Amino acid sequence: MKIAVCVKQVPEGSSRIDPETKRLDRSGEGALNPFDANAVEEALQLRDTSGESEVVLVTMGPAKAQDALRKALAMGADRAVLVADEGAAGADLVATSYALAQALERERADLILFGQQAGDSDGAVLWAAVADRLRLPVVSQAAEITHGDGKVTVKRQTEFGYDVIEAELPAVVAVSDAINEPRYPSLKGIMGAKSKPQETLSLDDLGVAADRAGERGSRTEVYALGDPPARGDSTKIDDDGNAAQAILDFLAERRLV
Amino acid sequence: MSTLVFLEHHGDELLKGSLGVLAKATALGDGEVAGVVLGSNVRELAASAGNFGAAKVYVADHPQLEAPLPQPRVDVLARLVEDGGIDTVLFANSVLAADVAAGLAARLDAGLNWDLVDLTWEGAKLVGKRPALQDSVYVEVGWTSEPRLALFRSGSFDPSATDGSAELEDLQVALEDFSTAARMVDQAHEESEGPSIEDAPVIVAGGRGLGGPENFVLVEQLAKALGGAVGATRAVVDAGWYPYATQVGQTGKTVSPKLYIACGISGAIQHKVGMQSSGTIVAINKDANAPIFEFADLGVVGDVHEVVPKLTELVKQRKGE
């Protein structure tokens, strides 16, 4: 079974939005989106329980998204594909899902995994757009995945409880962050990551026309950045034995008790 | 403007979040607002949207729409948007709605803005507001073409009940082959007992910091003293400490009580999205670096096992019990 894992590089630590471009500032250090580590882990577990399998990482981002890929390779993924092109900058869901679908089309994986959301943009929708472009079934919020007989069985967690959904392969599945505990890369994994195959593709290589990519290919825009509405004062106290009284006074003042 | 609101249902009820978005769409007061209900045996349910401001409700009533799976819904909506001259489609966030909205965005090459908390007209432009980067900045977003798709953060708007009736229009159902390649095999949904926590004015919620299921009694006692309901995090529900019906978060209930007291809850994003619109948030946690303190109105760094029972006693004393 061939498993593709779509990952994203997110800024390390606290992020900021560039007031000039109104895009997320991606100039600092990059890290693997923490939610994607769950998808990588799940792919590795599925690979290791079914012989003859390969885990390939697919990402779109700046050239230094290599950093995020290297972390996932160090965890144990077999190789990586990076779509890096200046023309892809500023892409929204429509443009990103189109380019990513073209990259995935080349790979023809049996199973395409995503993490549950992007830690920077809070986006939690890309898989469904990619699945539609690839004309493949999609299941999200997977808390458990099993496979066999040309299909995957997914335990999906929703607002109301668990669903069990079966999907024919190839399929797209987005995993919940409750599905597993991602492993830490071993020293051997980290050393080995550098020699694993990494391919960088341009939009041209994928046959993505310039007007379907990046900001030009996007259908949404950002007008302005503003301050959030004031939430009122936030107070933090250490319990010195009187915290319960402090809470009661606070509630009484707000007429909540 | 011709707006369509995706009305999601569970069992024989339209979801509160969807009805809230319907109220918002109606309040925008520009052009026509219609709802759409997709399911099996849902004509009566669709008609009930008339009591919440929809003058027109499209309904696709088909056995293949019974299971809450996104892709068959994308097929029906894509045709409706294209044939019905609809320029704006609004969704209340949920596991299902997010997948439907994104699938539709790809199908129609339509812009999707997510996690919105508001939508307003500014001149000739429709502008959405999205809190970003842990809500530290509010981003104003828009669309460069129609149709425009918007997914609203849970609990952004309250439904508004009206005396109305909706005209129903039936939709044809024709599905793509890949849309039926995923099938619902089983649904393990616990039926909740007692009133839903979604309507409780006060919620006291417990997380892993309680240490074990036996300590949930501390949370229950405080909830009882305050006349509130008990909530739980995904971690403790997954661990079997407390029933699913009490789960607050992304995969659980979205609540906005007047008072939310979080006991031993770290405040991970999964939990936060379900309770961040609460009026007042009080958090008690022994980890001073827990993310919950970033959005609590009052944060107490302390041991829940000591603070919570003391608080329960003080509340009881105050109420003269």
Side-chain angles (χ1 to χ4, degrees):
Chain A
M1 185 159 76
K2 180 168 172 180
I3 307 169
V5 187
C6 296
V7 300
K8 185 182 188 187
Q9 174 184 269
V10 298
E12 175 89 66
S14 60
S15 330
R16 66 181 277 273
I17 294 176
D18 184 336
E20 197 71 25
T21 62
K22 300 190 180 70
R23 293 179 190 161
L24 193 68
D25 180 358
R26 299 186 188 280
S27 60
E29 287 287 301
L32 176 66
N33 172 34
F35 297 99
D36 292 343
N38 295 104
V40 174
E41 176 65 35
E42 197 60 21
L44 298 178
Q45 291 184 17
L46 287 166
R47 177 192 68 187
D48 296 341
T49 54
S50 62
E52 299 280 314
S53 287
E54 184 192 27
V55 173
V56 55
L57 307 165
V58 180
T59 192
M60 187 167 106
K64 67 176 163 52
Q66 298 281 11
D67 298 348
L69 291 176
R70 212 166 296 129
K71 157 113 195 261
L73 288 170
M75 285 175 71
D78 299 300
R79 63 186 176 87
V81 176
L82 166 64
V83 180
D85 196 306
E86 280 181 16
D92 75 347
L93 177 69
V94 162
T96 304
S97 63
Y98 181 70
L100 203 52
Q102 300 304 307
L104 289 162
E105 192 76 63
R106 291 169 89 243
E107 291 294 335
R108 302 243 154 215
D110 301 293
L111 182 63
I112 299 168
L113 295 182
F114 282 81
Q116 93 172 11
Q117 70 199 78
D120 51 358
S121 66
D122 298 331
V125 289
L126 184 57
W127 48 83
V130 167
D132 196 82
R133 297 210 184 275
L134 294 173
R135 301 179 61 84
L136 295 178
V138 64
V139 186
S140 62
Q141 282 292 342
E144 209 178 286
I145 302 175
T146 51
H147 77 101
D149 299 333
K151 61 187 188 215
V152 277
T153 304
V154 176
K155 200 168 143 191
R156 174 177 82 162
Q157 194 176 20
T158 74
E159 294 83 356
F160 312 104
Y162 286 99
D163 296 333
V164 180
I165 298 167
E166 247 177 37
E168 291 162 25
L169 295 176
V172 178
V173 178
V175 307
S176 145
D177 65 346
I179 195 169
N180 56 38
E181 278 295 328
R183 69 193 67 185
Y184 287 101
S186 64
L187 188 60
K188 194 175 153 218
I190 293 167
M191 299 309 287
K194 289 173 192 147
S195 55
K196 286 180 176 173
Q198 294 193 52
E199 190 181 6
T200 302
L201 299 173
S202 68
L203 293 173
D204 250 1
D205 295 334
L206 294 174
V208 175
D211 63 352
R212 295 207 68 172
E215 203 168 294
R216 279 177 71 191
S218 294
R219 300 284 182 271
T220 56
E221 57 188 332
V222 175
Y223 298 130
L225 304 175
D227 291 327
R231 226 206 113 88
D233 289 336
S234 175
T235 315
K236 189 165 149 192
I237 57 170
D238 284 308
D239 182 22
D240 56 359
N242 297 314
Q245 186 64 50
I247 296 173
L248 186 77
D249 294 345
F250 175 84
L251 298 181
E253 192 188 314
R254 295 196 171 201
R255 299 177 186 278
L256 289 166
V257 64
Chain B
M1 183 168 164
S2 178
T3 307
L4 183 70
V5 179
F6 176 72
L7 298 174
E8 186 176 348
H9 67 282
H10 179 66
D12 54 7
E13 276 187 14
L14 294 170
L15 299 188
K16 211 174 147 186
S18 300
L19 294 173
V21 171
L22 178 61
K24 175 67 198 179
T26 312
L28 270 176
D30 182 82
E32 283 173 35
V33 177
V36 59
V37 175
L38 310 169
S40 180
N41 295 317
V42 289
R43 297 194 89 247
E44 205 175 313
L45 193 67
S48 72
N51 300 323
F52 294 92
K56 181 170 192 173
V57 179
Y58 294 99
V59 55
D61 197 353
H62 196 277
Q64 278 185 300
L65 295 170
E66 180 167 2
L69 295 172
Q71 291 169 306
R73 285 165 171 74
V74 173
D75 295 342
V76 178
L77 289 178
R79 181 178 291 202
L80 171 59
V81 171
E82 285 183 321
D83 297 351
I86 287 158
D87 54 52
T88 308
V89 190
L90 308 180
F91 299 82
N93 191 51
S94 74
V95 171
L96 178 67
D99 287 354
V100 174
L104 191 62
R107 188 77 59 90
L108 300 175
D109 272 322
L112 170 64
N113 281 306
W114 60 80
D115 210 18
L116 300 185
V117 294
D118 203 5
L119 187 67
T120 50
W121 280 108
E122 288 183 15
K125 273 182 173 166
L126 198 57
V127 176
K129 278 214 171 72
R130 181 166 79 83
L133 305 180
Q134 287 78 48
D135 299 354
S136 61
V137 55
Y138 266 48
V139 185
E140 292 189 0
V141 295
W143 293 261
T144 58
S145 66
E146 294 175 353
R148 319 168 183 101
L149 311 184
L151 191 59
F152 289 94
R153 184 180 274 194
S154 303
S156 293
F157 314 109
D158 288 326
S160 109
T162 56
D163 287 330
S165 65
E167 171 206 342
L168 294 190
E169 184 172 329
D170 286 287
L171 298 173
Q172 295 298 313
V173 176
L175 304 183
E176 301 282 344
D177 52 357
F178 67 95
S179 296
T180 53
R183 288 171 302 275
M184 185 70 70
V185 180
D186 189 26
Q187 285 182 284
H189 295 176
E190 277 176 34
E191 290 314 313
S192 54
E193 292 164 26
S196 165
I197 62 168
E198 284 162 292
D199 301 317
V202 175
I203 293 174
V204 184
R208 229 186 240 291
L210 283 171
E214 67 282 1
N215 292 328
F216 247 92
V217 66
L218 303 177
V219 170
E220 287 167 350
Q221 285 165 347
L222 179 57
K224 188 168 175 233
L226 288 164
V230 175
T233 63
R234 181 180 68 189
V236 304
V237 170
D238 280 354
W241 296 5
Y242 228 66
Y244 205 111
T246 63
Q247 182 170 321
V248 173
Q250 203 165 21
T251 52
K253 300 282 192 303
T254 297
V255 297
S256 45
K258 278 193 287 192
L259 172 62
Y260 193 93
I261 303 184
C263 308
I265 293 176
S266 70
I269 182 90
Q270 144 76 26
H271 189 71
K272 182 185 177 188
V273 299
M275 46 67 78
Q276 61 193 350
S277 53
S278 301
T280 295
I281 298 170
V282 175
I284 306 158
N285 198 306
K286 68 173 190 296
D287 175 9
N289 297 317
I292 191 116
F293 291 127
E294 286 162 27
F295 54 96
D297 299 286
L298 176 63
V300 171
V301 183
D303 186 348
V304 284
H305 306 94
E306 288 177 21
V307 178
V308 176
K310 267 194 220 168
L311 179 59
T312 304
E313 278 316 305
L314 290 170
V315 171
K316 281 188 187 166
Q317 278 171 28
R318 185 182 166 90
K319 290 188 166 179
E321 287 170 19

